[in-house]
Amino acid sequence: MSNNKMRIHKGDTVKVISGKSKGAVGPVMRAIPESRKVVVEKVAVAKKAQRPTRDNPSGGIMSIEKPIHVSTVMLVCPKCSQPTRVGLKLTDGKKQRVCKKCGEVID
Ligand SMILES: [Zn+2]
């Protein structure tokens, strides 16, 4: 039984509710339950200088998204399109995520 499991998963659309990227909406590219963080497309982007390589001889600047804490995002419900907290509902022994706004099962 893992209490580590997050209610935000890869592929979810989330809205950032605090921090520098507040208000941004995007898909979760990666979920990192160990640190309770998520990587959201085009959110918390850091520029990184890249050394020239054989494939990319001129080097350059690469943009990478930094993980942000899961508590700074809210799930955008695919059913009602509102940012919501995620509830859990037990159906036939299976946990399903539920939108707290419209009550629809999300998974
Ligand atoms: Zn909803």
Side-chain angles (χ1 to χ4, degrees):
M1 183 80 190
S2 166
N3 294 320
N4 222 9
K5 207 166 172 212
M6 296 195 297
R7 296 180 185 185
I8 304 282
H9 303 163
K10 182 181 173 181
D12 287 345
T13 297
V14 295
K15 181 170 189 179
V16 181
I17 53 164
S18 70
K20 262 206 288 189
S21 304
K22 188 175 173 179
V25 175
V28 174
M29 300 163 68
R30 195 153 59 94
I32 313 161
E34 302 78 43
S35 52
R36 305 202 62 74
K37 286 182 172 176
V38 289
V39 177
V40 183
E41 193 177 288
K42 295 192 168 66
V43 168
V45 174
K47 304 268 189 215
K48 203 178 156 188
Q50 210 174 28
R51 270 172 212 214
T53 60
R54 198 153 45 106
D55 292 335
N56 182 12
S58 56
I61 306 289
M62 204 177 65
S63 294
I64 49 162
E65 283 93 345
K66 287 188 295 185
I68 57 173
H69 199 265
V70 71
S71 66
T72 64
V73 303
M74 277 181 112
L75 180 76
V76 176
C77 173
K79 303 276 160 66
C80 66
S81 306
Q82 293 191 73
T84 180
R85 295 203 304 130
V86 180
L88 290 176
K89 190 171 104 175
L90 205 60
T91 310
D92 299 327
K94 239 185 78 183
K95 269 187 197 157
Q96 289 184 303
R97 297 187 300 165
V98 178
C99 171
K100 293 249 190 184
K101 290 255 169 78
C102 67
E104 291 282 338
V105 171
I106 291 164
D107 286 326

